[in-house]
């Protein structure tokens, strides 16, 4: 049995008995306090349905992204397997036969995502190549014996679930000791049975039965962690048995393929026939996930700028893990539905409209309290204001239209955002970011047109060449065309017009060229006149600087884009009722996802009031409240020491602080007894600090302990 | 025996020695024979063909496969059992746990009629693996004849000299037989021997000659050469097949194949691309440069903080701790001019490899090289751990992970430079210029430093087993040193 504990010690493993299900319905956790009226059940259900949709969407996405990789892998396996089958009657095939086909699969450093990839890979191989797919992890195979044991037991399991024969289980139990010899003889017997057994399930036959003896695929999930010796020995052995045990290896590599050369000497790597396969970069993966989950009106739930920033920062700065990103997204979704009573309205538009009609009085009050709604009310005429604040029915109608507006705002928003991204993503130095997520963050945060970056981006746009501009416009047109919404139909028409104008420019330019040549033909003159006329021409060009028609048109396009941005890319804070769909509690999210254990520990010990909420513990900065827990007092005193702490001094100081507290108590106990008690308390506090890893005994001085944290003088 | 000579080329003296050692069937042979030589010098092949063609009773065991004592002993006994009994009734599986049991069971098995009055040979291939098993095993096998009182000879095949085997407690000395490396002439003869049926032997011999001309300097491994010969032969035949040249047109053929072979040396030989890919390239007649080898993918994409952690680890590993204050503090006092003596000392530090550093030092350097404030969050710590699992850092000393773990940085300077390229700008922080200074110094000093290094490596290999120069890449010299070399 294994534990995940880092420390060494005894662990008790209780036998697994069936746990009785604790029958608290999950939605009850959504009841914050006793406020029943806030639709907690409905909120929970909405959360679940949205999350299910998002989850299936991400899974589908993952499948699509992996498809290419898996297809090429399967092709490789089939090809190399047919190499086995050909059995090389031709000259020289004998030597090639000794090379184990190996696929080096580079997956990137996001180790947490690999499990999912391997799981779907195993499934794909199961369906397409062979029933014998085994995956091993380095921690299971510290030596050859365990390696083979794991391999054998997994292989036999593969075979059992296919044929469900009791004999194979018996064999597995009996063969606690396994060697490659026994493995290959087992393989022979199994494939032999397959050939002769007519009662084999038809379905499997068709999928895997295209070869009489399907290959065994062994996936080594984390190649980096395997010990060199085990890997080398295994490869040497299996290459000797390759003719009777057709093995194909798949190496899961997180860093770079150089690791193969580092792990295997030339003598061993010459036994492999390695081909490289590279999975999609995780950053691209993130972009598609964001594109499908957040930059769409498909899901009503949205993230505020701060939250999105936290999630992407954790991804980019810390782990590159898509799984963690999606987990973070799920957490924010849950948190939103849990903490915001009005999140009942965070669903698709018709459903939300229906729900508004059933809102309770309390909920209406909640709506009126929303800052964005209050701002909206203040802008209205006074009669309407009164109606909104007093008449419930009127309020509900108004909220319905507001929700509709919000929906329209979002559809337009994403279209224009994508359009703007087309323009800015090709600019040199990317003033507004290369990825659409960066642009989105900026737009969420503030009015983008106020930023300097936007200014510089527009300036750069005014310098674009014609063909570049046209390709961008065509892409934008495609963006607008894909949406079925009619609101921005006129925009698409405008863009089409621009394109047509650009094209007509081409024709006109030719004419102009010829005419320009005629007028500007210089007569033959002397040097003085030539100089003079040239100067004049230069002057003329500088002063009037007549814009060509292209430049005029370009200016128009840029202004058009600018107007689009100013009209549609307003930050969501300006929209009334945005609180219902935007999750903005960035602080909670950060606390959950990017925990800082050291800081939390320090706060707990340095300022116990923060967690204990006991009024007596409240104190100003820097002084030690003498009623604080002993460990806090000891900790605070130790902060004032240098790297080595004298235990006697420390104990003295501790006693002083503590007795200052106890003077107020009755002097019933004798001083000696009290000293002993204080001494014991001190010792306990010190050993607790040692357990927490703040100090450790040192051999330099016997009556001193060493401090393990910084900050000493 | 003309039959044997045809099968075993260029090993006449070894074969005759072995034959005279074996003697007649019923003769007692030398109790143990130790055969050693470099990879692919024909040890296994010669022994196997000799025993087979002479039809001597023998058991052939590869010690790599037998990773436990039990497996090894049982395999020997079962194979013997198989030999001694007739085909149909050898189903009983003998179990044997210890060497003592082995001796007892061995006596029983060899009692059989078919094994009487003749020497039984046990061949242990890759005998160096025996050293890692129980201590009594090797001495036991060496005097098996005496222990079992049977007519048995044990042959050890190994790539390592006998001196490295000899146990401290002393043992029976085996007869040591050395298989020297094949000379270029031998290689030519052996490789030309297996020519394809559709071409004449002379044509193939000419091809082998060209092949050896290219590869002999880097590779003397017969297996590897044969592999390369087979891989590249279709390309050599190409002009003949197309009718552009006839078989005798050696010059033309040479011009066709030579650049191709050179390319093969950089790619297939080092297993940068697989042999099947190489074949495909040949067929499609595309430029091999298009297909990137394994080493081309050196770039590792890392999260932002992981990069900095790795850089900090590198700096902590290669900089002495006393210089930290100078490089990473804003007010560090004055910088003393380093004289040459000091520089020299630092560089040799670098060549000695990374030094362990405590976690606290790593974090301190990390905080000072990252521009913004880094909170010591759980994510940072888990990143350090995941760098360890990726083998970019290693944990030194496993005694207590809670109490100040120590790490080493295992990546090369080139790797760090690739990672840090983004921040490699003139006027960058001082710690970075330190990286470049180091690099310069290494480049300057390697020529002087290298010679003792090479000397060392030559000594550590056994003198009889010469390694071609290219293979030294497995030795722990930095990439840069190899290049200058």
């Amino acid at each position: 049995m294994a534990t995940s504990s880092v420390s060494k010690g005894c662990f008790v493993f209780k036998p697994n008995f069936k746990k009785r299900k604790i029958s608290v319905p999950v939605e009850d956790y959504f009841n914050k306090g006793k406020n029943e009226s806030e639709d907690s059940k409905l909120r929970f259900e909405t959360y679940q349905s949205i999350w299910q949709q998002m989850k299936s969407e991400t899974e589908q996405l993952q499948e699509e992204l992996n498809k290419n990789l898996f297809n090429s892998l399967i092709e490789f396996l089939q090809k190399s397997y047919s190499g086995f089958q050909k059995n090389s009657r031709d000259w020289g095939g004998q030597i090639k036969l000794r090379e184990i086909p190996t696929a080096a699969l580079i997956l990137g450093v996001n180790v947490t995502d690999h499990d999912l990839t391997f799981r779907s890979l195993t499934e794909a191989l199961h369906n397409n190549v062979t029933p014998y797919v085994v995956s091993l992890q380095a921690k299971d195979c510290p030596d050859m014996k365990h390696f083979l044991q794991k391999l054998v037991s997994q292989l036999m399991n593969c075979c059992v679930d296919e044929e469900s024969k009791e004999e194979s289980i018996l064999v597995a139990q009996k063969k606690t000791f396994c060697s490659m010899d026994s493995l290959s003889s087992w393989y022979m017997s199994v494939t032999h049975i397959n050939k002769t057994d007519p009662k084999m399930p038809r379905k499997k036959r068709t999928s895997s039965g295209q070869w009489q003896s399907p290959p065994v695929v062994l996936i080594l999930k984390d190649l980096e962690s395997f010990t060199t010796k085990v890997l080398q020995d295994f490869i040497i052995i299996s290459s000797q048995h390759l003719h009777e045990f057709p093995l194909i290896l798949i190496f899961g590599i997180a860093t770079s393929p150089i690791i193969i050369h580092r792990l295997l000497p030339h003598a061993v790597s010459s036994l492999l026939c390695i081909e490289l396969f590279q999975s999609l970069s995780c950053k691209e993966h993130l972009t598609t996930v964001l594109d499908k989950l957040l930059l769409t009106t498909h899901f009503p739930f949205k993230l505020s700028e701060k939250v999105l920033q936290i999630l992407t920062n954790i991804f980019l700065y810390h782990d590159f893990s898509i799984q963690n990103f999606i987990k973070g997204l799920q957490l924010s979704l849950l948190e939103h539905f849990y903490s915001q009573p009005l999140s009942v309205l965070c669903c698709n538009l018709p459903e939300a409209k229906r729900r508004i009609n059933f809102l309770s009085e309390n909920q209406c009050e909640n709506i009126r309290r929303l800052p964005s709604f209050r701002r909206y009310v203040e802008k209205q005429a006074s009669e309407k204001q009164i109606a909104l604040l007093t008449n419930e029915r009127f309020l509900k109608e108004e909220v319905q239209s507001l929700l509709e507006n919000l929906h329209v705002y979002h559809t337009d928003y994403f279209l224009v955002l994508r359009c703007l991204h087309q323009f800015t993503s090709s600019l040199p130095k990317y003033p507004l970011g290369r990825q659409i997520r960066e642009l989105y963050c900026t737009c969420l945060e503030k009015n983008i047109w106020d930023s300097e970056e936007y200014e510089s981006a527009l300036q750069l746009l005014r310098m674009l060449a014609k063909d570049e501009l046209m390709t961008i416009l065509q892409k934008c047109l495609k963006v607008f065309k894909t949406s079925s919404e009619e609101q921005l139909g006129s925009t698409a028409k405008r863009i089409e017009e621009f394109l047509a104008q650009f094209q007509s420019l081409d024709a006109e330019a030719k004419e102009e060229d010829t005419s320009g040549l005629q007028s500007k033909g210089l007569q033959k003159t002397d040097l003085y006149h030539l100089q003079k006329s040239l100067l004049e021409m230069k002057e003329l060009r500088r002063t009037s600087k007549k814009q060509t028609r292209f430049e005029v048109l370009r200016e128009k396009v840029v202004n058009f884009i600018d107007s689009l941005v100013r009209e549609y890319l307003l930050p969501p804070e300006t929209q009334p009722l945005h609180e219902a769909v935007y999750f903005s509690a960035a602080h909670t999210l950060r606390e959950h996802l990017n925990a800082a254990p050291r800081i939390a520990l320090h706060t707990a010990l340095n300022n116990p009031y923060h967690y204990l909420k006991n009024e007596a513990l409240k104190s100003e900065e820097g002084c030690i409240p003498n009623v604080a827990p002993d460990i806090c007092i000891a900790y605070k005193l130790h902060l004032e020491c240098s790297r080595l702490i004298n235990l006697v001094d420390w104990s003295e100081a501790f006693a002083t602080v503590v007795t200052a507290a106890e003077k107020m108590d009755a002097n019933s106990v004798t001083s000696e007894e009290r000293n002993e008690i204080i001494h014991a308390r001190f010792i306990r506090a010190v050993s607790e600090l040692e357990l927490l890893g703040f100090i450790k005994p040192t051999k330099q001085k016997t009556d001193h302990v060493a401090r393990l944290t910084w900050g000493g003088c | 025996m003309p039959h044997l000579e045809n099968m075993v080329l260029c090993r006449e003296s070894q074969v005759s020695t072995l034959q005279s050692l074996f003697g007649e069937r019923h003769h007692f042979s030398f109790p143990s024979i130790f055969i050693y030589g470099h990879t692919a010098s024909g040890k296994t092949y010669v022994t196997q063909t000799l025993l087979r063609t002479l039809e001597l009773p023998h058991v052939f065991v590869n010690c790599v496969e037998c990773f436990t004592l039990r497996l090894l002993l049982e395999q020997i006994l079962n194979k013997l059992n198989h030999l001694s009994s007739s085909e149909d009734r050898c189903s009983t599986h003998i179990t044997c746990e210890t060497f003592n049991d082995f001796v007892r069971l061995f006596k029983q098995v060899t009692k059989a009629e078919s094994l009487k009055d003749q020497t039984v040979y046990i061949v242990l291939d890759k005998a160096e693996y025996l050293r890692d098993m129980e201590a009594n095993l090797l001495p036991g096998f060496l005097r098996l004849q005496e222990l079992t009182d049977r007519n048995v000879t044990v042959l050890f095949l190994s790539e390592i000299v006998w001196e490295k085997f000899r146990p401290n407690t002393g043992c029976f000395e085996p007869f040591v037989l050395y298989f020297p490396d094949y000379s270029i002439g031998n290689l030519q003869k052996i490789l030309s021997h297996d020519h394809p049926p559709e071409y004449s032997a002379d044509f193939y011999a000419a091809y082998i000659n060209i092949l050896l001309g290219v590869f002999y300097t880097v590779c003397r491994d017969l297996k590897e050469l044969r592999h390369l010969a087979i891989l590249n032969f279709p390309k050599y035949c190409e002009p003949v097949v197309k009718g552009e040249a006839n078989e005798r047109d050696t010059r033309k053929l040479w011009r066709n194949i030579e650049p191709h072979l050179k390319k093969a040396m950089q790619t297939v030989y080092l297993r940068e691309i697989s042999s099947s890919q190489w074949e495909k390239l040949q067929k499609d007649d595309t430029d091999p440069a298009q297909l990137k080898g394994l080493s081309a993918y050196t770039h590792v994409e890392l999260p932002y903080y992981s990069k900095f952690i790795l850089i900090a680890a590198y700096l902590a590993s290669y900089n002495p701790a006393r210089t930290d204050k100078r490089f990473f503090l804003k007010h560090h006092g004055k910088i003393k001019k380093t004289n040459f003596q000091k520089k020299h000392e630092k560089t040799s530090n670098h060549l000695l490899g990374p030094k362990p550093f405590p976690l606290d030092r790593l974090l301190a350097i990390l905080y000072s090289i990252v521009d913004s404030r880094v909170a010591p969050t759980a994510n940072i710590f888990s990143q350090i751990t995941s760098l360890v699992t990726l083998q970019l850092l290693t944990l030194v000393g496993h005694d207590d992970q809670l109490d100040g773990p120590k790490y080493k940085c295992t990546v090369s300077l080139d790797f760090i430079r690739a990672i840090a390229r983004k921040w490699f700008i003139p006027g960058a922080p001082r710690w970075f210029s330190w990286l470049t200074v180091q690099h310069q110094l290494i480049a300057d000093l390697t020529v002087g430093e290298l010679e003792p290094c090479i000397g060392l490596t030559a000594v550590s290999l056994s003198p009889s087993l010469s390694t071609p120069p290219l293979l030294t890449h497995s030795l722990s010299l930095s990439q840069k040193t190899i290049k200058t070399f």
Side-chain angles (χ1 to χ4, degrees), chain B residues 213-282:
Chain B
V214 174
F215 280 103
Y216 187 69
T217 45
V218 293
C219 171
R220 289 160 199 203
D221 188 330
L222 184 61
K223 275 185 219 154
E224 195 59 33
L225 283 171
R226 187 184 280 164
H227 174 81
L228 289 165
I230 289 166
L231 265 186
N232 293 303
F233 189 60
K235 181 81 181 171
Y236 182 73
C237 302
E238 208 175 65
V240 180
V241 175
K242 279 182 185 165
E244 287 167 0
N246 64 9
E247 288 197 11
R248 306 211 161 267
D249 212 347
T250 20
R251 239 192 113 67
K252 203 165 187 181
L253 290 172
W254 180 77
R255 224 179 295 134
N256 177 38
I257 192 73
E258 218 246 348
H260 186 72
L261 287 181
K262 289 229 164 110
K263 246 171 234 161
M265 184 155 78
Q266 286 157 11
T267 53
V268 199
Y269 170 64
L270 292 174
R271 260 41 183 199
E272 288 286 296
I273 63 177
S274 72
S275 43
S276 60
Q277 276 173 320
W278 182 251
E279 277 184 333
K280 207 176 146 214
L281 281 181
Q282 274 184 359

Side-chain angles (χ1 to χ4, degrees), chain A residues 468-485:
Chain A
E468 283 175 306
L469 204 56
M470 275 176 74
T471 46
I472 291 173
L473 278 178
Q474 258 144 10
K475 277 185 201 159
C476 289
L477 190 63
K478 219 178 274 168
V479 170
F480 283 114
K481 281 268 169 70
T482 49
S483 73
S484 55
E485 300 297 318

